[in-house]
């Protein structure tokens, strides 16, 4: 199976992941399999009729509904993920990926797999040279996440581990650790043991009182350069004659907290 990474070809081929868009944000993402067909309330399109079409082409269903044929971006994949839990929004995920230095070759540990949206983003960016280790105590959550990653062809980059975090992480050389838990302050030492010196620690919390508890724990365990932020993202109506903010926006979703693992401060021995 092909991976989610975008095809370098200008035309749609068997095995490609495609996105069909029509109307007001009606989007369908699926993989091209010869002989199969896409079917929705908007009509049927044969996969074979999409093979050989240029990306950006307009195609019609048997009902005459027009779709744009595109390759999905990571943002599209995250929005399309089936979920059992609330997923993190792309606005939050994008900032944390940049801030934590996630890229090809990165080894990432996350606690709180959920439905796998953040796991997908991590796996997308670490490449085949990196790896993601995802922990969750709920087997049904991890099953959903595994199915999502397999759909995108990224499951080989992720090791899922069903475990209570009290048992700790297996890894000791991670470049980054992300905790999506209600009480991350109780697992800072656990995260510290999994991180390389100077490694990135990130957390996601919805309320200020939780953030205060976390900041205290970070200081106690020699994490410095603590950053607390939230991402607000507002869309505009794309009309040349009446450009203005959209009527609705996603406001506060949670606080992002980042810090770096430092070594304990050594006090010079004046008698030495």
């Amino acid at each position: 199976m092909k991976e989610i990474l975008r095809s370098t070809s200008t035309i749609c081929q068997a095995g490609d992941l495609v996105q069909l868009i029509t109307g007001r944000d009606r989007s369908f993402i699926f993989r091209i399999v010869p002989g199969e067909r896409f079917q929705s309330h908007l009509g049927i399109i044969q996969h074979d009729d999409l093979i050989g079409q240029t990306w950006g082409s307009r195609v019609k269903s048997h009902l005459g509904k027009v779709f744009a044929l595109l390759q999905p971006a990571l943002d599209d994949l995250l929005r399309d993920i089936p979920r059992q839990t609330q997923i993190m929004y792309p606005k939050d995920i994008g900032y944390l990926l940049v801030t934590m230095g996630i890229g090809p070759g990165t080894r990432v540990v996350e606690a709180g797999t959920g439905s796998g949206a953040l796991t997908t983003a991590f796996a997308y960016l670490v490449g085949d040279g990196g790896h993601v280790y995802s922990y969750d105590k709920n087997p049904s959550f991890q099953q959903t996440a595994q199915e999502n990653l397999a759909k995108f062809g990224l499951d080989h980059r992720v090791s899922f581990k069903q475990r209570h975090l009290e048992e700790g992480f297996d890894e000791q050389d991670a470049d980054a650790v992300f905790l999506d838990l209600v009480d991350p302050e109780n697992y800072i030492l656990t995260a510290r043991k999994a991180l390389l010196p100077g490694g990135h620690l990130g957390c996601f919390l919805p309320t200020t009182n939780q953030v205060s508890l976390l900041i205290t724990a970070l200081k106690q365990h020699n994490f410095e350069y603590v950053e607390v932020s939230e991402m607000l993202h507002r869309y505009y109506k794309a009309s040349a004659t009446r450009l203005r903010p959209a009527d609705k926006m996603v406001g506060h979703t949670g606080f992002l907290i980042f810090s770096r693992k430092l070594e304990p401060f050594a006090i010079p021995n004046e008698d030495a």
Side-chain angles (χ1 to χ4, degrees):
M1 178 179 288
K2 286 190 178 182
E3 296 176 5
I4 185 58
L5 303 179
R6 294 170 60 86
S7 170
T8 57
S9 174
T10 59
I11 62 173
C12 177
Q13 303 177 63
D16 283 343
L17 202 65
V18 304
Q19 180 182 31
L20 295 182
I21 304 178
T22 189
R24 291 188 174 182
D25 300 323
R26 290 179 178 175
S27 172
F28 305 90
I29 296 175
F30 57 92
R31 195 173 296 278
I32 295 294
V33 178
E36 292 195 2
R37 66 181 186 176
F38 160 78
Q39 183 172 351
S40 76
H41 64 290
L42 299 174
I44 298 171
I45 298 177
Q46 302 296 328
H47 286 210
D48 290 341
D49 292 338
L50 298 178
I51 296 174
Q53 294 281 355
T54 302
W55 296 116
S57 297
R58 289 179 171 85
V59 297
K60 288 185 178 181
S61 72
H62 82 292
L63 295 178
K65 299 296 183 180
V66 178
F67 296 80
L69 174 65
L70 301 169
Q71 294 193 74
L74 178 58
D75 176 74
D76 301 311
L77 302 183
L78 300 183
R79 295 176 187 276
D80 189 61
I81 282 180
R83 65 199 68 175
Q84 294 189 46
T85 61
Q86 175 62 51
I87 67 170
M88 290 182 66
Y89 280 80
K91 70 183 180 70
D92 299 310
I93 291 176
Y95 185 72
L96 80 85
L97 293 174
V98 174
T99 302
M100 297 182 70
I102 308 301
T106 305
R107 291 169 55 85
V108 185
V109 176
E110 69 165 348
T113 306
S115 296
L118 182 57
T119 317
T120 298
F122 282 147
Y124 185 94
L125 288 184
V126 300
D128 284 333
H131 204 75
V132 182
Y133 304 88
S134 186
Y135 289 76
D136 202 298
K137 63 182 180 181
N138 190 312
S140 64
F141 290 172
Q142 287 213 328
Q143 179 63 34
T144 297
Q146 288 176 341
E147 292 171 357
N148 289 333
L149 269 292
K151 173 184 176 182
F152 302 145
L154 293 169
D155 50 320
H156 65 289
R157 296 179 181 176
V158 182
S159 295
F160 292 96
K161 302 187 179 185
Q162 184 187 333
R163 179 184 302 177
H164 287 270
L165 207 54
E166 287 82 357
E167 301 174 40
F169 294 124
D170 295 328
E171 296 69 36
Q172 298 181 351
D173 56 353
D175 300 290
V177 171
F178 194 85
L179 305 178
D180 188 4
L181 309 168
V182 298
D183 56 346
E185 70 276 4
N186 294 327
Y187 303 101
I188 300 306
L189 184 57
T190 302
R192 183 176 179 84
K193 291 178 180 178
L195 277 170
L196 288 169
H200 294 266
L201 175 63
C203 302
F204 186 76
L205 290 168
T207 65
T208 55
N209 58 305
Q210 290 172 294
V211 175
S212 294
L213 292 173
L214 176 58
I215 292 173
T216 299
L218 290 171
K219 294 295 185 179
Q220 290 175 343
H221 294 293
N222 291 295
F223 281 88
E224 297 292 343
Y225 308 112
V226 178
E227 172 193 314
V228 181
S229 60
E230 65 173 339
M231 302 295 113
L232 303 178
H233 185 190
R234 182 170 69 177
Y235 285 96
Y236 279 67
K237 292 189 175 182
S239 171
T241 57
R242 52 188 183 90
L243 180 66
R244 65 180 182 83
D247 298 323
K248 298 179 181 180
M249 71 172 288
V250 176
H252 175 78
T253 50
F255 295 102
L256 289 166
I257 305 94
F258 304 107
S259 58
R260 302 293 291 272
K261 173 185 173 180
L262 297 187
E263 295 305 304
F265 185 75
I267 301 176
N269 186 348
E270 296 181 355
D271 296 329

